Amino acid sequence: MAKKVLLFADVGIDDTIALIYGCLSRQVDLIGVVADYGNVPRQMGLRNISYLINLFNIANQTKVVLGAEKPMTGEDPVFYPEIHGQYGLGYIKPPDLPEGGFTENFYEVVNLINQYAGELVIVNTGRLTSLASMYILFNDLMKKVKEVYVMGGAFWVPGNVTAVSEANIHGDPIAANIVFRYARNLTIIPLNVTERAIVTPRMVDYIQSKGKAKIIKPLLDFYYEFYKKRNPAIKGSPVHDALTLMATIKPSMCSYQSLPVHVSPNGTVTKGQTIADIRPYATLNNLESKHRIAFNFDYQVFYHDFMSIMTGELM
């Protein structure tokens, strides 16, 4: 039976790869997408979501929800066109939104949680502002969510915004701390594993030749061009968000350790740093809980599943 997934996303390239995977996998029922700011402004993310769900013919079954426009820090968000392209889709310019097509409807998240109580899985691949808002406004309701998966953090590995901070957590560390404080069924998929979820140009060309995962080549060609400039030794594009979605249905792909996590809220370098308490004698107070953190993963499991879903061929 397919997992009911509500995706919170700031739809740039890696979120799009996750969305395509969700559209193509029979094990994922993408019942909704929350459009957040992050890689791109919210309105641009909304435009991308509208384009993608129509391109992959899931518009009638996937609810689109308008999420946050700015972080809880009150700062103006920073966007990354050099990584994701002018419109968030690499070389692609999506069509304009239909006039009057979307209105503020964040309460739809409440309706979806009630509709799929006990079976809904939330996957957050962008900033955590909207998800944190759910814990602030509807903390008891969130107990009806079966699982929450968050792409974010860097534990004892380099960050991708500062030396120690990953972009989703750095973008709203206040929201991250709220989620890590109140969530009781949370799995964190950090850079420790996502940086190794590499899709090579050869993989991209093969997927494109099969014609199932439309637009994947212009997306990942643009993405790889950025990563290659930053790290000439890299062999392909890390698909951070696709790995996070895949983890919901591939329990053996990652190995985990359960630890309490705190986020540094400020500092030029330390803002957004994820700090896990590994002391064996540490005790938790009533405001803390341990969360599953992925520290390693099996690339072969990733490769075979990703290629099988994206091509329609059993790898």
Side-chain angles (χ1 to χ4, degrees):
M1 189 173 180
K3 286 207 173 188
K4 306 292 185 184
V5 172
L6 175 59
L7 180 67
F8 287 64
D10 55 339
V11 179
I13 290 175
D14 51 338
D15 305 77
T16 299
I17 300 301
L19 204 154
I20 293 172
Y21 178 93
C23 291
L24 298 179
S25 173
R26 293 180 180 178
Q27 292 180 275
V28 175
D29 182 1
L30 197 60
I31 57 101
V33 184
V34 179
D36 283 321
Y37 77 94
N39 294 320
V40 296
R42 185 186 73 165
Q43 193 67 9
M44 193 176 292
L46 180 64
R47 179 179 175 181
N48 293 344
I49 291 167
S50 176
Y51 165 63
L52 292 164
I53 63 174
N54 281 286
L55 182 67
F56 287 92
N57 300 311
I58 63 165
N60 291 333
Q61 67 200 56
T62 303
K63 179 74 69 174
V64 179
V65 180
L66 277 72
E69 291 187 280
K70 292 191 176 185
M72 291 181 174
T73 60
E75 300 166 325
D76 289 329
V78 176
F79 306 118
Y80 297 94
E82 70 277 13
I83 303 175
H84 297 278
Q86 183 178 355
Y87 302 99
L89 296 176
Y91 297 110
I92 298 168
K93 180 181 178 180
D96 292 336
L97 286 167
E99 194 167 333
F102 295 93
T103 58
E104 299 292 346
N105 62 343
F106 190 64
Y107 196 81
E108 284 296 334
V109 177
V110 173
N111 295 335
L112 290 170
I113 292 173
N114 281 319
Q115 183 178 351
Y116 299 105
E119 59 177 328
L120 182 65
V121 177
I122 288 177
V123 178
N124 196 116
T125 59
R127 314 307 185 249
L128 281 81
T129 314
S130 292
L131 184 57
S133 298
M134 290 301 301
Y135 283 103
I136 292 171
L137 297 169
F138 308 104
N139 194 35
D140 285 342
L141 177 75
M142 292 300 287
K143 295 172 184 175
K144 295 183 179 181
V145 175
K146 183 179 180 181
E147 299 171 293
V148 178
Y149 283 75
V150 166
M151 188 280 125
F155 298 89
W156 309 291
V157 297
N160 59 3
V161 176
T162 75
V164 295
S165 302
E166 178 275 331
N168 286 338
I169 309 300
H170 182 272
D172 194 345
I174 293 175
N177 263 329
I178 290 169
V179 172
F180 295 163
R181 174 172 170 176
Y182 290 107
R184 295 294 182 266
N185 48 0
L186 173 64
T187 298
I188 301 169
I189 310 293
L191 292 180
N192 302 60
V193 290
T194 67
E195 287 279 15
R196 292 183 279 149
I198 294 294
V199 177
T200 67
R202 185 175 179 182
M203 292 165 66
V204 171
D205 288 342
Y206 188 78
I207 293 168
Q208 186 71 21
S209 74
K210 298 302 171 181
K212 192 176 182 184
K214 306 167 187 175
I215 72 171
I216 192 170
K217 185 170 174 59
L219 289 169
L220 288 183
D221 280 359
F222 187 97
Y223 210 39
Y224 184 48
E225 187 176 322
F226 165 78
Y227 275 102
K228 191 73 172 175
K229 288 176 183 176
R230 193 171 72 170
N231 175 15
I234 199 167
K235 302 300 182 184
S237 303
V239 287
H240 309 279
D241 298 339
L243 182 70
T244 305
L245 180 57
M246 292 168 70
T248 68
I249 58 174
K250 293 292 174 183
S252 65
M253 184 174 64
C254 296
S255 57
Y256 302 92
Q257 187 175 354
S258 293
L259 297 166
V261 179
H262 175 74
V263 177
S264 175
N266 47 45
T268 303
V269 175
T270 58
K271 176 188 173 187
Q273 181 181 11
T274 43
I275 303 165
D277 193 341
I278 60 173
R279 297 174 297 170
Y281 54 84
T283 57
L284 301 179
N285 62 44
N286 62 356
L287 297 179
E288 293 180 307
S289 60
K290 290 184 177 181
H291 304 301
R292 282 203 319 165
I293 306 169
F295 285 112
N296 211 339
F297 92 118
D298 187 330
Y299 183 83
Q300 290 303 313
V301 174
F302 163 78
Y303 173 85
H304 287 292
D305 184 67
F306 186 83
M307 292 299 288
S308 296
I309 297 301
M310 292 301 198
T311 63
E313 298 178 347
L314 187 61
M315 292 286 175

